[in-house]
């Protein structure tokens, strides 16, 4: 069959790479893709959020399976539009994707499903904020809608809280996405991600992972889309059953009850403290860079798994995972997550890829006259596999040491938290 992957990040490169190993796949398209996806797929210059053009293309090419990477097209109803035309597409429909598209909706679903999460208030106006935020000494202030991962402010005082509330409600820095806000209690602990395949009824957890959101070593500096990840995350060990039974299944049941059965990947961001955890957020898709450490460990044919989700037959699939660990180090442009330059030539890609158990997943890259140039904030993700996390980390950084571009920055401590933990 012909497969279309939507998106252009490291996540999509990892998905394209994995799909290229399926005997069932004859041809892969990636829209818009990057220099890395071009190795396995034909890149198509359609922006990921142009649903109409994507639909036209899929119909023309008779695409047998479309896989959606980023959240925006999901929240904007790409799955609904494809299904109306009889096309098979992996991901939640707009109603179900609201679990990521609206933080207020996500909180409401968690409350109804009995999922443990931070105490919160939904606020729509500045007067309401002044009246009802008195109880919060510290808080996470969040734009309700999608804000490319930038809509969360961690506030450590009353004045910081009101500052963030003002920016969102009056400054409208995220436009309508911030016209309703969620203010919640600050949680303490360590974060981890767990992704699950869902078919509307059944849920199969993937192996755990941990993202590194801050730009600098030791979790310092600004929040980013993610500077690296590793899998499995020992901090999640022993919690899987509880995550399935107290988080994933109740949420699936609640969404089905609301007429929005969830099919696709459900991503739970957890805050873990000891053996207890609370849910920080849900995403309606594969994580980035979590996918770059989880998917290389999946042994099943990905097409079989994705189709089982679409067809409600996930109970027939036995997920198999490669033993050992994976570690992904993100190489970013100078200035990221703020402003950065593009168009710097990347050296050493072939040398890095030549190492056994090293994969180079492209994110913001493009091909120009046979040269690979930087084309985004997060440029590459170098994944190392290993029998242990120590070996996976060493392999990832061996790959990194081969690569260079002007202004390249990366964290030196990806996976460090897992060392010494069972
Ligand atoms: P979210 O998009 O809701 O996951 O928020 C982005 C990031 O902000 C999370 O990954 C956490 O690092 C942080 N964060 C969000 N909510 C909270 C909270 N209630 N307490 C502490 N940190 C939070
Ligand atoms: N790595 C965080 C995310 O994909 O949202």
């Amino acid at each position: 069959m012909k497969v279309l992957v939507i998106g252009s990040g490291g996540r999509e490169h990892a998905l394209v790479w994995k799909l290229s190993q399926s005997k069932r796949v004859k041809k892969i398209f990636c829209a818009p893709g990057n220099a890395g996806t071009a190795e396995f797929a034909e890149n198509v210059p359609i922006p990921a959020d142009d649903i109409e053009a994507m639909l036209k293309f899929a119909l023309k090419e008779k695409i047998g399976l479309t896989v959606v990477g980023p959240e925006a097209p999901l929240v904007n109803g790409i799955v609904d539009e494809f299904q109306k035309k009889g096309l098979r597409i992996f991901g939640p429909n707009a109603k179900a994707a609201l679990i990521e598209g609206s933080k207020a909706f996500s909180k409401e679903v968690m409350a109804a499903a009995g999922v443990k999460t931070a105490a919160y208030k939904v606020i729509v106006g500045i007067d309401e904020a002044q009246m009802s935020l008195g109880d919060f000494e510290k808080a996470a202030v969040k734009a309700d809608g999608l804000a490319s991962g930038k809509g969360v402010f961690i506030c450590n005082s009353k004045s910081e809280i009101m500052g963030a509330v003002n920016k969102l409600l009056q400054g409208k820095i995220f436009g309508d996405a911030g016209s309703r806000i969620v203010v919640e209690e600050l949680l303490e602990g360590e974060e981890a991600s767990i992704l699950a395949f869902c078919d509307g009824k059944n849920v199969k957890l993937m192996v755990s992972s941990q993202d590194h959101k801050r730009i600098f070593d030791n979790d310092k500096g600004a929040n980013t889309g993610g500077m690296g990840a590793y899998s499995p995350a020992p901090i999640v060990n022993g919690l899987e059953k509880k995550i399935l039974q107290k988080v994933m299944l109740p949420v699936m049941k609640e969404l089905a009850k609301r007429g929005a059965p969830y099919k696709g990947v459900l991503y739970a961001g957890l805050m873990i403290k000891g053996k207890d955890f609370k849910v920080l957020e849900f995403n309606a898709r594969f994580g980035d860079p979590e996918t770059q450490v989880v998917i290389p460990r999946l042994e099943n044919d990905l097409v079989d798994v994705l189709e089982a989700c679409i067809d409600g037959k996930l109970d027939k699939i036995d997920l198999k995972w490669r033993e050992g660990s994976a570690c992904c180090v993100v190489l970013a442009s100078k200035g990221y997550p703020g402003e950065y330059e593009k168009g710097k030539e990347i050296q050493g890609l072939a040398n890095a890829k030549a190492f056994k158990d090293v994969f180079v997943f492209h994110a913001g890259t493009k091909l120009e006259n046979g040269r690979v140039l930087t084309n985004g904030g997060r440029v590459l993700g170098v994944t190392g596999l290993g029998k242990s996390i120590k070996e996976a980390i060493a392999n990832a950084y061996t790959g990194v040491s081969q690569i260079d571009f002007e202004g390249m920055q990366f964290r030196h401590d990806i996976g460090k938290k897992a060392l010494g933990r069972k």
Side-chain angles (χ1 to χ4, degrees):
M1 71 167 82
K2 288 189 193 173
V3 176
L4 167 64
V5 175
I6 296 177
S8 59
R11 164 182 55 206
E12 287 77 16
H13 187 187
L15 292 171
V16 163
W17 166 79
K18 179 70 182 165
L19 288 164
S20 75
Q21 293 157 23
S22 169
K23 286 195 193 71
R24 302 181 53 203
V25 173
K26 222 170 58 198
K27 170 144 186 129
I28 308 178
F29 294 97
C30 190
N34 58 40
T37 61
E39 198 179 319
F40 306 97
E42 183 179 329
N43 285 347
V44 187
I46 302 175
D49 50 8
D50 190 342
I51 296 179
E52 209 181 303
M54 216 56 95
L55 182 59
K56 227 165 124 184
F57 176 80
L59 286 169
K60 185 181 100 209
E61 288 292 339
K62 300 194 170 57
I63 300 292
L65 174 65
T66 298
V67 185
V68 188
E71 60 277 15
L74 292 168
V75 171
N76 292 329
I78 192 167
V79 170
D80 311 66
E81 294 306 315
F82 271 51
Q83 284 174 344
K84 271 189 221 156
K85 298 282 181 196
L87 289 165
R88 283 164 74 72
I89 180 163
F90 176 80
N93 62 20
K95 222 166 155 185
L98 214 50
I99 194 94
E100 174 166 4
S102 162
K103 294 209 185 276
F105 176 77
S106 160
K107 285 296 216 179
E108 187 191 312
V109 168
M110 283 193 255
V115 172
K116 284 209 250 175
T117 183
Y120 74 106
K121 282 196 169 130
V122 178
I123 308 272
V124 284
I126 201 78
D127 297 343
E128 191 186 356
Q130 267 151 359
M131 264 169 30
S132 56
L133 293 180
D135 305 346
F136 288 96
E137 294 293 337
K138 296 178 173 193
V141 176
K142 306 181 174 186
D144 178 51
L146 292 183
S148 311
K150 299 189 182 87
V152 176
F153 298 85
I154 303 299
C155 305
N156 284 301
S157 66
K158 281 192 186 245
S159 68
E160 277 180 35
I161 295 174
M162 282 320 288
V165 168
N166 275 321
K167 273 189 207 161
L168 289 168
L169 290 180
Q170 296 198 298
K172 296 201 181 301
I173 55 169
F174 296 113
D176 278 350
S179 62
R180 181 159 74 151
I181 61 173
V182 172
V183 179
E184 58 179 57
E185 150 204 28
L186 269 195
L187 298 177
E188 283 174 13
E190 195 174 316
E191 286 180 57
S193 316
I194 194 129
L195 283 62
F197 290 110
C198 307
D199 73 354
K201 293 190 302 285
N202 302 290
V203 178
K204 298 257 162 151
L205 293 186
M206 296 184 224
V207 285
S208 62
S209 53
Q210 188 174 53
D211 189 7
H212 298 61
K213 299 210 181 193
R214 305 296 196 97
I215 184 74
F216 299 130
D217 286 9
N218 300 312
D219 299 329
K220 299 274 191 292
N223 256 326
T224 70
M227 291 301 290
Y230 63 88
S231 169
I235 190 160
V236 180
N237 277 355
L239 298 178
E240 291 87 349
K241 200 169 146 197
K242 206 163 151 189
I243 293 167
L244 181 66
Q245 291 179 346
K246 304 274 182 197
V247 177
M248 297 294 187
L249 288 169
V251 164
M252 291 279 288
K253 224 169 152 178
E254 181 60 31
L255 287 172
K257 208 168 92 186
R258 291 167 183 244
Y262 193 96
K263 293 184 176 200
V265 170
L266 186 58
Y267 165 137
L270 307 175
M271 185 69 96
I272 303 177
K273 207 173 171 190
K275 285 286 142 206
D276 218 10
F277 64 84
K278 287 184 177 171
V279 174
L280 279 175
E281 62 161 346
F282 286 108
N283 292 323
R285 50 171 174 80
F286 284 102
D288 188 338
E290 287 92 337
T291 303
Q292 293 91 301
V293 290
V294 169
I295 285 298
R297 294 187 58 212
L298 180 68
E299 290 182 340
N300 304 64
D301 184 325
L302 186 58
V303 174
D304 293 343
V305 182
L306 302 184
E307 288 208 311
C309 293
I310 295 174
D311 296 329
K313 293 181 176 161
L314 200 50
D315 50 332
K316 306 276 188 303
I317 297 277
D318 191 13
L319 290 183
K320 294 209 160 51
W321 300 97
R322 181 187 153 127
E323 289 289 322
S325 294
C327 172
C328 175
V329 179
V330 169
L331 308 181
S333 296
K334 181 178 161 192
Y336 175 79
E339 275 184 36
Y340 53 83
E341 287 179 17
K342 298 179 182 177
K344 311 289 180 197
E345 184 166 2
I346 305 171
Q347 311 281 357
L349 290 169
N351 291 349
K353 269 171 49 180
F355 283 95
K356 186 173 169 280
D357 289 337
V358 173
F359 302 90
V360 181
F361 294 120
H362 290 224
T365 69
K366 68 171 180 187
L367 264 177
E368 208 172 271
N369 304 323
R371 298 185 312 158
V372 181
L373 307 180
T374 66
N375 193 38
R378 291 191 290 176
V379 176
L380 299 164
V382 182
T383 294
L385 296 179
K387 285 199 275 301
S388 62
I389 181 66
K390 198 170 157 202
E391 199 178 298
I393 293 170
N395 284 338
Y397 281 102
T398 298
V400 169
S401 71
Q402 304 299 311
I403 298 174
D404 195 27
F405 56 85
E406 194 190 314
M408 178 172 105
Q409 57 163 340
F410 61 92
R411 279 181 61 161
H412 304 79
D413 62 345
I414 305 299
K416 200 168 143 191
K417 286 199 192 106
L419 291 170
R421 276 188 186 150
K422 279 221 173 117

